[in-house]
Amino acid sequence: MPGSIDLLKEKGRRLRIHSLRATTAAGSGHPSSCLSAADLVSVIFFGEMRYDPRDPGNPENDRFILSKGHAAPLLYAAYAEAGILEESQLITLRRLDSDLEGHPTPRLPWVEVATGSLGQGLSAALGTALAARLDKLAYDTYALLGDGECAEGSVWEAAALASYYRVSNLYAVVDVNGLGQSQHTMHRFDVENFAEKFRAFGWHAVTVDGHDYSEIIDAFAKCRREGGPKPRVIVARTFKGKGVSMLENLEGWHGKPVPKQDLDAALAELSEPYGSDGFRPNPRPRPQREERAVDIDIVINRKIGESVATREAYGDALAKLVEKNDRIVALDGDTKNSTFSERLLERRPDRFFEMFIAEQNMVGVAAGMAARGMIPFVSTFAAFLTRAFDQIRMAGVSRANIKFCGSHVGVSIGEDGPSQMGLEDLAMFRPIPGSIILYPCDAVSAERLVAEAARVRAICYIRTTRPKAPVLYANDEQFPIGGSKIVRRSEEDRVTVIGAGITVHQALKAADTLASEGIRIRVIDAYSVKPVDGATILAAAKQTGGNLIVVEDHYEEGGLGDAVLNAVGNAARVLKLAVREIPRSGPPEALLEAYGISSKHIVQAVKSLL
Amino acid sequence: MPGSIDLLKEKGRRLRIHSLRATTAAGSGHPSSCLSAADLVSVIFFGEMRYDPRDPGNPENDRFILSKGHAAPLLYAAYAEAGILEESQLITLRRLDSDLEGHPTPRLPWVEVATGSLGQGLSAALGTALAARLDKLAYDTYALLGDGECAEGSVWEAAALASYYRVSNLYAVVDVNGLGQSQHTMHRFDVENFAEKFRAFGWHAVTVDGHDYSEIIDAFAKCRREGGPKPRVIVARTFKGKGVSMLENLEGWHGKPVPKQDLDAALAELSEPYGSDGFRPNPRPRPQREERAVDIDIVINRKIGESVATREAYGDALAKLVEKNDRIVALDGDTKNSTFSERLLERRPDRFFEMFIAEQNMVGVAAGMAARGMIPFVSTFAAFLTRAFDQIRMAGVSRANIKFCGSHVGVSIGEDGPSQMGLEDLAMFRPIPGSIILYPCDAVSAERLVAEAARVRAICYIRTTRPKAPVLYANDEQFPIGGSKIVRRSEEDRVTVIGAGITVHQALKAADTLASEGIRIRVIDAYSVKPVDGATILAAAKQTGGNLIVVEDHYEEGGLGDAVLNAVGNAARVLKLAVREIPRSGPPEALLEAYGISSKHIVQAVKSLL
């Protein structure tokens, strides 16, 4: 390995010094969490990883993910010692105008995904490791975890999948310092317990003294030699605050910087340098990579009136897109026959990843894949995407280019009942900054919107419906993000009804009923829930006496109704039809009726406004 | 054990028949998932569990949680065979007017928590098992899991906690039938692999042939004899669709009922009865239990102007409430020194449960505890409650009486940065039917609202703030749910500014600034975000020229602004100030400024309306 033990020890010393200085200057941060892992990070960055500090874009750089994101100062210190950052930047930690944030975000080119919500880094690392395989690249991925965060179930989701997929280019390092935030951890220093858990989950596990450089170096060598097809974990026994006696292995120091007046004394304990040569990176050669634009020009071939579920159209669109684009992959949580992501599996099995019933990990892996330039389409029932809200939230912080598809939305799924119904998914995705939410009502718009989602660089959420619905649109109809479609209009429209998905069809049915009674209504398909087409809606409101009805198969809070309310402000009167209580099992049509969003209810609502 | 093997086999046969008949009649459901577990459920219900079928309220009944909730027909069949339900009810499965829903909900008195979102049952079972210990009751809890759902990390969160707390009155049974929804599971029939995982997590594990009654019975006996302080798991090798050759161990049958025309042939394979006596329940005697009303009459003792964080007041209120109420417990995810739930720990350590960094399990356990009549207060950073959105969603379906506290809301936490900021938590809780959302701005209202939350029977969410704030209210001020407080008013108010939490103080500061310029504004503390005090807000809007500003430390979608928009409709012009992008690290005051919600921005917004 490049560099001697003295080099590594010297780097470790300097990593500690940087971490202490930066957090004391910031007046906040987690120096004790940095100090426990400094020796591990030194070996990883200056002994094991192969990367070109001058070239963050080299696809063959090894990847490092700081799962214990609160040790951010340690990461920044490693970047400085590698020549990636200027050492003078380190002192800007946590300042408003600094990219060295309290927890790492991809504002920094070397940070794959934002971390800081514990237990998510191993999933992201699995994602980048799988991306390496798909891209036929040789890089390894390293993830540094804390011991406390291994209580998070998402760690074990990632562990199970990594071993199932024989992801041997993945190295986890667990910093077992025995102390959590508010007290000791469950297992304290029992590194063998961690190792046994990982082994039971199919990993090759080695335990070490996390402050003994020889042991750490040997452990990596052992893993490379003996790991075989298994992912590798090094479980390291460490001390929080190691190297500074006022901190070392003492409770009460989590998240506390060394006070200014005590800093010199602390640094004095780290003042003996190790004589060594400098760090010499050992990057892999940069492969030629062609960046190709996403080709979304898919051919849609439906007949008006044909009965197709939008969830099925999602699958068809995915299959068409994967033929044209080598960055598109699909991930699904054992629902592929329901979400129809299986259509991509049938077309290109190498691009499909069965993630089993583990949605948190599925989303975290997608974030890692997106960081490596893939375009992951993640699907399951909309209700089960709530299982991964924290991962979705962090994907938002990462601005990860992930496309989500939630199927089986609303009461319209029928007899399976509320546990399977997505009724709060719009409320979940709307607050994610920069998110785009698309809710097609027919197969043509569904296919086109899946393609639009593939093209745009943003978190997208596509809502699909279980029951079949008639095709409304011509095959060459365009559906720009932020647009809408007026699907019924006349010169005598007295109310505008806005729907999306299944409620567009209910609204058209209501329009027919009302027309037979001499009442005309405008019907808008708000297929773009976010951004919502405020201009068209406001114009329609103006032309229909300020009368707007919004009807959605979603709870009343946070969905399409609120999107419209925000768009119109007080320029119109908005009547919201939505689900207002926990629904029960029953036939789909009966549930639409029971929960106030059927065509009958729309008719009544229109009449109530007139 | 009561009853012979023949009785158990006969019950198993009948459970299969009921499951097939009900799902075929419903035209939907998961009979193959029921058939793999029928023998296990027979032994559990008619061999192991002690309960009084005529008395669901007996506190000493053993508890059963169907974690693999899609096997609901099997559960209902067991209830019928136990005499809990009429057999004639079984055929009403999944009908709109039937309480036998597609997945079990507590509409049925014997169902502890709603299931159907996989991987959550073991947490609920851990909750009821812990409740037994707290209540000094002898009942055991049994949870039936599928194998596919063991990919969910939440299962391993529960497993770790159960062993850490030596919860030996907990029995998990895993139905390993090797087939998931869309394909085979990761581990297929490798029951030893499951057992090793559970053992690594500290459980006593036994593997069995899940269709061999003697083995199953012996396994339970073995667990009772040898389990010691460990939780117990029986890992059973089974076949999906066992007993019916057209289904047995065949892919493609998940979630598919036997078609009507094939039912008779299927039932014919199950037609040979086992001669046996009837089932004789063996309940424990019913203990005397006093139901005491919740006493929320806490004494608050603050000084106006005193600087206290609402998160600290939360802790103080909890400590006061726990002294008066033996049903109140607190659960926290290794943040108790930040959320201040540690104040309850200090007062009554037996009522505090450290749940470590595993929020999904924390919420699931709370649901189980709530089912047993406890009043759990669950706290962590608001951002990390998103980790448990699916569990919160299912708690909503269960109508579980859980109180949530999310601390460190908004950008006002400062330098830790966006991974730690709760910015979408109001959007998460608002859609939960029946939820109550409270957002106190000072220590007095915080304490009083914690008490109000304890009194009401509903999911409550309390938002608390990291920085200190001055006490505004007198100690005896009342804060009814659904109310608000006008904290600044005059006869010349030209705009109403509505805030909550930290933005109330920013609004008051803005009011002072504007007053010095001769402009008067009304300031409302909307401490009840849901239900929001529409009447007061509308009245104020009327009196201030229809000018409303809402300012919140939350993203713009789904929070207080949307609550107000819904309350006023088009009766007022609403200007929303909120966070509109991913924030960065920085000092709290600088972030309020940078993200548009400081007093300066409120002043500007007021002027823009005039």
Side-chain angles (χ1 to χ4, degrees), chain A residues 126 158-172 198 201-205 223 227-233:
Chain A
L126 175 56
L161 266 289
S163 117
Y164 180 76
Y165 283 120
R166 298 158 74 90
V167 182
S168 55
N169 57 337
L170 176 60
Y171 292 81
F198 274 99
F201 273 70
W203 286 55
H204 181 79
C223 282
K230 297 181 176 183
R232 297 96 198 268
V233 62

Side-chain angles (χ1 to χ4, degrees), chain B residues 304-565:
Chain B
I304 303 257
E306 181 187 356
S307 204
V308 188
T310 54
R311 59 179 172 128
E312 190 180 341
Y314 169 81
D316 289 337
L318 268 197
K320 292 174 189 175
L321 286 167
V322 81
E323 294 285 31
K324 292 164 161 286
N325 298 283
D326 65 5
R327 306 313 289 161
I328 284 179
V329 294
L331 290 76
D332 195 288
D334 192 21
T335 53
K336 55 189 181 284
N337 58 329
S338 295
T339 61
F340 284 91
S341 64
E342 65 185 356
R343 300 257 158 114
L344 183 147
L345 167 64
E346 288 155 12
R347 196 70 64 88
R348 289 293 304 269
D350 57 311
R351 303 281 195 74
F352 182 90
F353 293 86
E354 178 52 66
M355 301 307 283
F356 298 95
I357 305 174
E359 296 77 18
Q360 292 186 93
N361 180 62
M362 177 164 69
V363 175
V365 164
M369 289 179 161
R372 297 288 87 240
M374 308 235 147
I375 305 172
F377 276 80
V378 170
S379 54
T380 181
F381 284 30
F384 306 144
L385 283 174
T386 63
R387 196 59 157 267
F389 188 17
D390 198 12
Q391 281 78 3
I392 291 168
R393 179 181 79 87
M394 291 303 291
V397 179
S398 297
R399 297 170 176 74
N401 189 29
I402 305 173
K403 321 303 170 180
F404 294 92
C405 177
S407 71
H408 292 67
V409 297
V411 299
S412 63
I413 73 165
E415 289 89 341
D416 265 1
S419 66
Q420 317 288 301
M421 295 170 174
L423 291 158
E424 54 283 285
D425 48 307
L426 294 176
M428 178 171 74
F429 275 100
R430 279 183 62 243
I432 307 290
S435 64
I436 289 169
I437 300 176
L438 307 168
Y439 188 4
C441 75
D442 86 333
V444 167
S445 53
E447 288 197 52
R448 192 64 64 200
L449 288 170
V450 171
E452 287 294 328
R455 180 178 55 81
V456 74
R457 208 198 170 291
I459 285 178
C460 295
Y461 174 52
I462 300 159
R463 221 184 180 228
T464 66
T465 302
R466 178 182 180 239
K468 294 183 203 275
V471 170
L472 292 186
Y473 298 108
N475 287 320
D476 59 358
E477 188 80 30
Q478 294 304 303
F479 294 86
I481 288 169
S484 63
K485 295 289 182 190
I486 300 174
V487 289
R488 184 69 62 89
R489 73 177 300 162
S490 78
E491 294 308 311
E492 300 140 23
D493 298 331
R494 301 178 62 194
V495 174
T496 296
V497 176
I498 301 162
I502 200 169
T503 59
V504 171
H505 302 279
Q506 294 296 314
L508 287 171
K509 209 165 143 201
D512 290 340
T513 301
L514 289 160
S516 75
E517 299 179 34
I519 300 168
R520 304 278 172 193
I521 62 169
R522 187 155 309 178
V523 178
I524 294 178
D525 171 11
Y527 65 82
S528 180
V529 176
K530 184 190 180 193
V532 79
D533 189 0
T536 300
I537 291 170
L538 276 163
K542 235 171 150 183
Q543 292 162 27
T544 58
N547 294 317
L548 288 183
I549 293 170
V550 188
V551 51
E552 59 186 311
D553 199 352
H554 185 275
Y555 283 135
E556 56 175 318
E557 296 91 352
L560 177 61
D562 279 355
V564 169
L565 258 181

